[in-house]
Amino acid sequence: MTDDELIWRIAGGSGDGIDSTSQNFAKALMRAGLHVFTHRHYPSRIRGGHTYVEIRAADHEVKSRGDNYNFLLALGDSFARNPQEEAYYGNEEIKPLSENLDELREGGVIIYDSGLLDTDDIPDFDERVEENNWHVFDLDLRGLAKEHGREVMRNTAGVGATCAIIDLDLEIVEELMSEAMPEKILEPNLEILRESYEDVKENYDTDVGVTVPESEHDEEQILISGSHGIAYGAIDEGCRFISGYPMTPWTDVFTIMTQHLPDLGGISEQVEDEIAAASLAIGASHAGAKAMSGSSGGGFALMSEPLGLAEITETPIVLVESMRAGPSTGMPTKPEQGDLEHVLYTSQGDSNRVVFAPGDARESYIQTRKAFELAYNYQIPSIILYDQKLSGGHETVTESTFDREPNPDIGEVVTEEDIEQGERLAGRFKRYRYDGEDGVSPRSLPGQKGGNFLASGNEHNEAGHISEDPDNRVTQMDRRMEKLDAIRDELDAMDESHQTVYGDEDADYAILNFGSTKGAVEEAVDMLNEDGHSVKAMNVSDMVPFPKNEVNSFLEGVDEALVVEMNATAQFRRHIQAATGKHGDKLFSLLKYDGNPFEPTDVVDGFEARLDGSAEPAHNTRIESATGD
Amino acid sequence: MSVFNAIDEERDIDVNEFTPSLEPQATWCPGCGDFGVLKALKQAMPEVGRTPDETLLVTGIGCSGKLSSYFQSYGFHSIHGRSLPVARAAKLANPDLEVIAAGGDGDGYGIGGNHFMHTARENHDMTYIVFDNEIFGLTKGQTSPTSPKGHKSKTQPRGNAKSPIRPLSLSLTSGATYVARTAAVNPNQAKEILAEAMEHDGFAHVDFLTQCPTWNKDAKQYVPYIDVQDSDDYDFDVHDRREAMEAMHDAEDALYEGKVLTGRFYVNDERPSYQQEKQSTGDMPETPLAERYFDDDYEWERSYDFLDRHK
Ligand SMILES: Cc1ncc(C[n+]2csc(CCOP(=O)(O)OP(=O)(O)O)c2C)c(N)n1
Ligand code: SF4
């Protein structure tokens, strides 16, 4: 096993404070100069039920949760002690230990809370420990916590013990706890932390080969999730109105925005359903605010009709679609990329929208800003498509990613003077008259003198009046569709493409993927190239308008390309084929849809299985060839 | 410079300002009650003192939804049943606007029923006009939520098994603070009520009885109506919830027995509008959000300042 990284898993019952403990610990590792990536696993249950959070930390950039892990802190499940629950779920108490052993690397470390867990309940425990050369620390964390404060503080005891074993400066953790905890509970927690640390240092052999390297960041880092990236991108871009209805995992963005908007003079509305949510965003934007809404699969389905309304009335809005496994309610807490086609095509008529799928937290910020900019400059809805994995997982991002420039520009709006002098005012204001180059006709805002017009979900003429005139229909349709060409040109002209190419440009073999699979694929590319293969990857973010030329030239010269995506029907592969009109003979799919994200080795195995049959595809992944051209 | 200079307080407003200068042909059938709503609305505007440019009319889909085509103001002809959520947010983003939402009984009480209930509950400061012709007009005469029990149509050929919805009581129980019913055949009352509804500071719901001579032969225009305020038989306090409720029950029962009671049924001037509530909890800015995008002096805060907590 490598000793240059720590993958620390804290496991317990949901509701036991695993989240906050792990967030603080992840931050401590970041402050120690390391790169950090977190992965949150949780069942669809609020209290009780086994859950864990994994933190991967290294002195080099970490892009995925990695393959397996090397440090388990098993806390037991304090909510599983009622006999009725036990009848339903079995002995949950021991699950934080028993359920996590399969993925623990050889030579790894186990701390378990002997105050709550009994290894006698786990068959073969001792044999497995010996076989895998695991280092086991049985510590009465609960007892220690109880002695100095309350039982729930056993998380802190576990962190103290961890620091002793991996040799992490306790001061960093102490400082973080002082920032995060209210006075009343801080003191007992600090006592527990120190005592646990010292106990392990004094009474155990901590030379077990799992440590974190010493490191320092060149630049200041922050630890955020993709949802933070989206929310902060929206705020910097001047978004001050959000409307939504809760649905996992979209709720993350909704709550982050709601937490900040009132302080920024903005408005957040929790409304009766998702149809209302999207309609409110349209209403606010029509009146002149920068507005967003969003949901996850089922809720986004309800937004289908308002989405079309925004398209035809040319009302700028940004919608977020945070994918989880479907169909229907599917698996609420599990990631999938199965809503791609839903987002591309939902709503009646020819779709006319921008869709971005950021690949990490940094891109979530950057692309959300761009999505707003395009929505308002081109009067078109933009959608940010991402998934449960990117939504909740935290990663280190350089602070300089965050632009200092707020952008309250809402695009072309005429002034009252323009209206008075302009020829657009013959009768009603000609809101939809085309005299620009990119399909955009300047709008007037309700409240402006002389600018009154009708925005209609029916096909309409220049003044907004309902019209079924064939020539008008073609003119209006073409004008709206023209915007996408202009947007593509604008995206192509940007200094930095939204697509990330990774690996050697002249490689023989290519991997294509989108969204949150980015990190795992890039790590797989490194592993494959180290093994002597010649592989490059492209993570595509621009789903609509599609970067056809970029993808074509990326695929030029490669023998074959593996399209990696988390769904069962190869939606992204079909999208590439449809958008480029070719490559059917070159593309193979590697699909995974079991509710777990791709790990780097899944991709490596898939690649080798496809290329030379030297490996089996990893468990629950499938290889499939493309059909047609 | 601000894009909003229009708000012009002291100006005489002419009814004709609300008629589009290049008027599109109204596509309503001859004799349709919708003409009555349009006329009453235009006539109410000068009384309220709002110009076309200060007014946003959001409509749904249906014959009724076409109101925004024939009424000159800022208009938003949205989708079936969703006029209220669009209107609500526009009002929140720019409270200076006079916001009116309108649609049919199918639009408002059927597909949009959820929004109706919640908009009333939140008491948004706006006026909601429901063209109540007891039928789906635009889709050619299907049974609607206000069609009488036993009503026969292509979708209920054996007679409607459902009892009609009770829009007035529903509105009151949901939280509306102004509830009235008027009729296209009574233009003076209609004008007065619409003006009052617009001036009301909260959610004003007007159930507007209209006739659909094309699909609904039981059109109410031929039935004598009684103004509950003018009649000695209906002496109740419109500010008293319970009394109002009782009057509404009478009106709703009587309607299908051929007696049309119109007028104001409930007026509550005490309850703050949603906007006021939201401002009092600090959830909404005092100056219109929409204006801020044009205020050169406004300091835009950045997410950068929140990043500290992630360091
Ligand atoms: C989502 C959706 N469902 C159905 C329709 C079809 N539709 C258009 S108008 C209408 C009914 C209109 O009835 P009502 O609201 O009573 O208005 P009226 O035409 O009588 O004024 C229906 C069902 C639609 N446009 N959208
Ligand atoms: S169908 Fe009925 S409601 Fe529609 S325009 Fe004709 S008369 Fe009016």
Side-chain angles (χ1 to χ4, degrees):
Chain A
M1 65 167 285
T2 51
D3 54 8
D4 65 343
E5 66 177 10
L6 169 76
I7 306 181
W8 185 76
R9 184 184 284 195
I10 177 171
S14 359
D16 268 344
I18 303 276
D19 251 354
S20 54
T21 307
S22 60
Q23 285 235 6
N24 277 336
F25 190 56
K27 235 192 240 182
L29 291 166
M30 174 180 75
R31 287 192 188 172
L34 299 162
H35 294 271
V36 175
F37 190 100
T38 76
H39 167 76
R40 188 163 65 146
H41 163 101
Y42 55 105
S44 222
R45 245 177 99 182
I46 306 305
R47 304 210 112 191
H50 163 244
T51 175
Y52 66 77
V53 178
E54 221 170 71
I55 301 171
R56 183 176 178 205
D59 59 353
H60 52 84
E61 218 187 315
V62 282
K63 302 171 182 173
S64 75
R65 63 187 278 205
D67 289 299
N68 299 335
Y69 71 107
N70 61 10
F71 200 121
L72 173 66
L73 172 60
L75 292 171
D77 187 344
S78 68
F79 291 105
R81 260 170 285 149
N82 110 32
Q84 220 176 7
E85 292 234 314
E86 221 173 277
Y88 275 122
Y89 302 108
N91 186 353
E92 291 243 24
E93 217 162 84
I94 59 158
K95 275 192 179 172
L97 186 52
S98 62
E99 291 282 298
N100 290 301
L101 297 177
D102 287 349
E103 288 165 4
L104 182 60
R105 289 179 188 173
E106 224 180 283
V109 176
I110 298 173
I111 298 177
Y112 76 89
D113 187 349
S114 57
L116 261 175
L117 301 171
D118 190 347
T119 51
D120 288 345
D121 290 338
I122 303 167
D124 307 338
F125 183 75
D126 295 331
E127 287 88 327
R128 291 182 75 177
V129 168
E130 199 168 322
E131 229 170 76
N132 287 292
N133 204 15
W134 289 330
H135 307 276
V136 180
F137 295 79
D138 57 331
L139 307 171
D140 182 8
L141 304 173
R142 177 163 80 136
L144 177 66
K146 254 180 148 169
E147 199 180 306
H148 290 274
R150 286 188 300 132
E151 192 181 317
V152 285
M153 296 177 183
R154 61 189 195 277
N155 289 348
T156 304
V159 171
T162 303
C163 293
I165 298 166
I166 63 170
D167 235 351
L168 184 73
D169 188 351
L170 208 54
E171 260 178 46
I172 301 178
V173 181
E174 286 172 342
E175 202 180 286
L176 255 161
M177 280 171 44
S178 322
E179 290 168 27
M181 286 179 181
E183 197 76 42
K184 210 171 73 202
I185 58 163
L186 178 63
E187 223 21 72
N189 268 293
L190 287 176
E191 274 170 30
I192 293 166
L193 182 79
R194 286 176 202 137
E195 194 162 316
S196 167
Y197 181 89
E198 273 150 29
D199 173 50
V200 172
K201 278 284 185 209
E202 273 162 32
N203 304 318
Y204 293 83
D205 174 13
T206 56
D207 189 14
V208 294
V210 179
T211 54
V212 286
E214 278 191 26
S215 181
E216 217 176 300
H217 291 296
D218 302 336
E219 268 191 78
E220 188 155 21
Q221 306 281 320
I222 62 154
L223 185 68
I224 56 161
S225 67
S227 296
H228 286 99
I230 291 173
Y232 294 164
I235 287 169
D236 281 354
E237 209 54 31
C239 171
R240 290 294 181 274
F241 188 97
I242 192 166
S243 43
Y245 188 85
M247 185 166 186
T248 306
W250 137 262
T251 315
D252 286 349
V253 173
F254 189 31
T255 46
I256 298 167
M257 291 289 284
T258 304
Q259 183 186 1
H260 294 304
L261 278 190
D263 295 337
L264 301 174
I267 298 172
S268 168
E269 280 286 289
Q270 182 186 324
V271 295
E272 58 272 24
D273 61 31
E274 286 85 352
I275 309 178
S279 302
L280 264 98
I282 290 172
S285 175
H286 183 72
K290 278 196 170 172
M292 79 190 292
S293 182
S295 191
S296 297
F300 191 78
L302 291 180
M303 295 183 167
S304 170
E305 225 200 341
L307 174 62
L309 178 67
E311 292 180 354
I312 196 166
T313 57
E314 300 176 61
T315 311
I317 49 164
V318 173
L319 297 179
V320 173
E321 217 274 30
S322 187
M323 293 181 278
R324 61 194 222 182
S328 192
T329 310
M331 296 199 281
T333 63
K334 298 290 179 186
E336 199 172 85
Q337 297 178 311
D339 295 350
L340 173 61
E341 287 179 340
H342 179 46
V343 164
L344 296 178
Y345 306 121
T346 190
S347 192
Q348 61 272 44
D350 295 305
S351 57
N352 183 26
R353 66 199 67 155
V354 173
V355 182
F356 291 151
D360 53 35
R362 179 181 161 275
E363 290 185 359
S364 298
Y365 175 80
I366 292 169
Q367 292 174 19
T368 300
R369 293 204 64 161
K370 195 71 192 171
F372 268 97
E373 197 189 308
L374 294 174
Y376 280 80
N377 284 343
Y378 291 89
Q379 303 168 2
I380 193 171
S382 295
I383 300 171
I384 302 288
L385 175 69
Y386 78 134
D387 62 47
Q388 187 272 349
K389 172 173 183 260
L390 185 51
S391 172
H394 283 60
E395 56 195 288
T396 38
V397 179
T398 54
E399 200 226 47
S400 60
T401 301
F402 299 85
D403 190 329
R404 287 354 176 225
E405 257 339 291
N407 178 21
D409 183 12
I410 68 160
E412 225 179 320
V413 175
V414 291
T415 64
E416 292 179 347
E417 287 69 23
D418 293 341
I419 298 169
E420 209 181 334
Q421 288 156 16
E423 61 209 75
R424 279 178 176 271
L425 186 65
R428 264 189 166 174
F429 176 73
K430 304 272 185 295
R431 157 73 174 97
Y432 300 106
R433 202 183 74 183
Y434 185 25
D435 47 19
E437 289 211 334
D438 41 18
V440 181
S441 43
R443 57 183 185 141
S444 147
L445 296 179
Q448 281 187 297
K449 202 173 192 161
N452 64 69
F453 68 97
L454 180 64
S456 180
N458 287 58
E459 187 58 277
H460 43 260
N461 64 18
E462 300 181 322
H465 288 304
I466 300 172
S467 165
E468 296 193 347
D469 175 76
D471 294 338
N472 174 70
R473 161 70 174 175
V474 172
T475 308
Q476 291 291 346
M477 226 19 222
D478 287 351
R479 183 177 61 73
R480 290 191 296 263
M481 301 312 290
E482 205 174 298
K483 295 177 184 180
L484 286 173
D485 294 331
I487 292 171
R488 186 67 256 161
D489 290 345
E490 181 176 334
L491 290 168
D492 286 340
M494 282 185 346
D495 290 344
E496 197 189 332
S497 164
H498 286 167
Q499 284 59 248
T500 323
V501 175
Y502 192 79
D504 185 1
E505 246 176 65
D506 303 323
D508 304 329
Y509 200 97
I511 297 178
L512 278 163
N513 58 300
F514 79 100
S516 75
T517 50
K518 185 179 186 218
V521 167
E522 288 183 359
E523 289 190 353
V525 167
D526 285 341
M527 288 156 82
L528 288 167
N529 286 338
E530 266 162 40
D531 279 352
H533 295 288
S534 169
V535 187
K536 63 178 179 180
M538 180 188 260
N539 183 263
V540 183
S541 280
D542 297 350
M543 291 294 122
V544 183
F546 196 76
K548 190 170 138 178
N549 297 338
E550 253 178 287
V551 170
N552 281 342
S553 58
F554 172 76
L555 288 176
E556 207 171 284
V558 303
D559 302 331
E560 208 178 279
L562 195 65
V563 184
V564 176
E565 55 186 310
M566 290 192 277
N567 60 57
T569 53
Q571 299 181 20
F572 179 49
R573 191 197 71 212
R574 284 207 300 269
H575 185 47
I576 299 169
Q577 284 179 263
T580 60
K582 48 188 182 182
H583 307 305
D585 53 343
K586 248 185 210 178
L587 303 181
F588 289 84
S589 287
L590 180 63
L591 307 171
K592 186 175 183 184
Y593 44 92
D594 66 351
N596 293 308
F598 273 102
E599 305 312 338
T601 49
D602 293 339
V603 180
V604 169
D605 290 352
F607 172 89
E608 286 175 343
R610 165 64 211 150
L611 196 71
D612 53 17
S614 63
E616 282 278 300
H619 180 62
N620 280 350
T621 67
R622 183 155 64 77
I623 294 172
E624 187 184 283
S625 61
T627 45
D629 221 20
Chain B
M1 188 195 5
S2 167
V3 293
F4 302 106
N5 297 319
I7 313 300
D8 185 352
E9 305 275 300
E10 308 295 328
R11 175 161 88 69
D12 279 341
I13 296 158
D14 190 285
V15 181
N16 294 322
E17 292 180 42
F18 297 91
T19 305
S21 42
L22 296 176
E23 193 171 5
Q25 283 289 312
T27 53
W28 289 321
C29 311
C32 174
D34 295 7
F35 288 107
V37 187
L38 176 61
K39 192 163 170 214
L41 183 62
K42 282 182 187 171
Q43 288 180 336
M45 294 310 296
E47 302 206 357
V48 184
R50 302 310 294 260
T51 64
D53 302 345
E54 296 160 7
T55 307
L56 176 65
L57 172 62
V58 185
T59 54
I61 298 296
C63 299
S64 48
K66 294 186 181 167
L67 182 72
S68 49
S69 291
Y70 315 132
F71 181 80
Q72 168 123 330
S73 74
Y74 279 92
F76 201 114
H77 184 209
S78 67
I79 43 177
H80 197 37
R82 318 298 167 196
S83 62
L84 286 174
V86 172
R88 257 150 70 179
K91 182 72 183 181
L92 289 174
N94 189 356
D96 286 347
L97 294 171
E98 182 63 46
V99 174
I100 306 163
D105 39 80
D107 187 89
Y109 305 145
I111 191 167
N114 193 21
H115 309 310
F116 176 49
M117 181 168 98
H118 287 278
T119 311
R121 166 190 165 222
E122 289 167 6
N123 195 29
H124 286 268
D125 180 15
M126 59 169 69
T127 300
Y128 185 38
I129 308 169
V130 181
F131 294 52
D132 188 354
N133 56 11
E134 299 176 12
I135 199 90
F136 280 19
L138 195 67
T139 45
K140 305 198 170 165
Q142 297 83 2
T143 305
S144 99
T146 51
S147 300
K149 195 164 176 220
H151 174 91
K152 286 188 182 168
S153 74
K154 280 193 184 147
T155 49
Q156 316 274 335
R158 297 177 190 189
N160 186 13
K162 303 175 194 182
S163 296
I165 212 158
R166 304 175 75 93
L168 305 175
S169 336
L170 181 63
S171 182
L172 176 70
T173 24
S174 300
T177 46
Y178 182 95
V179 186
R181 169 176 273 169
T182 187
V185 288
N186 186 7
N188 289 334
Q189 186 204 44
K191 179 189 82 176
E192 251 174 57
I193 282 186
L194 289 181
E196 237 176 58
M198 280 185 262
E199 274 166 353
H200 176 75
D201 227 354
F203 187 67
H205 168 221
V206 179
D207 185 67
F208 204 120
L209 300 174
T210 55
Q211 66 274 15
C212 173
T214 305
W215 303 113
N216 190 4
K217 293 189 189 59
D218 307 323
K220 294 281 188 285
Q221 83 260 39
Y222 306 115
V223 179
Y225 66 87
I226 300 161
D227 185 327
V228 290
Q229 265 77 44
D230 289 348
S231 162
D232 292 339
D233 295 346
Y234 298 93
D235 180 24
F236 67 98
D237 180 1
V238 289
H239 299 286
D240 185 300
R241 235 183 135 76
R242 281 165 208 281
E243 289 188 25
M245 183 55 98
E246 203 165 313
M248 285 175 185
H249 272 296
D250 288 347
E252 281 162 339
D253 289 340
L255 185 66
Y256 297 96
E257 289 155 13
K259 194 155 89 178
V260 185
L261 305 179
T262 61
R264 300 124 184 102
F265 285 89
Y266 183 59
V267 181
N268 177 347
D269 296 316
E270 316 270 278
R271 185 180 167 203
S273 70
Y274 184 56
Q275 175 193 328
Q276 287 163 341
E277 298 275 17
K278 234 174 138 65
Q279 277 172 343
S280 73
T281 58
D283 276 349
M284 190 171 150
E286 295 290 333
T287 50
L289 173 59
E291 253 176 42
R292 188 163 333 143
Y293 292 88
F294 303 96
D295 179 354
D296 291 340
D297 297 329
Y298 186 78
E299 284 252 354
W300 286 86
E301 281 182 74
R302 310 156 309 193
S303 72
Y304 176 69
D305 303 316
F306 312 131
L307 295 183
D308 279 350
R309 75 183 67 185
H310 302 285
K311 283 180 183 166

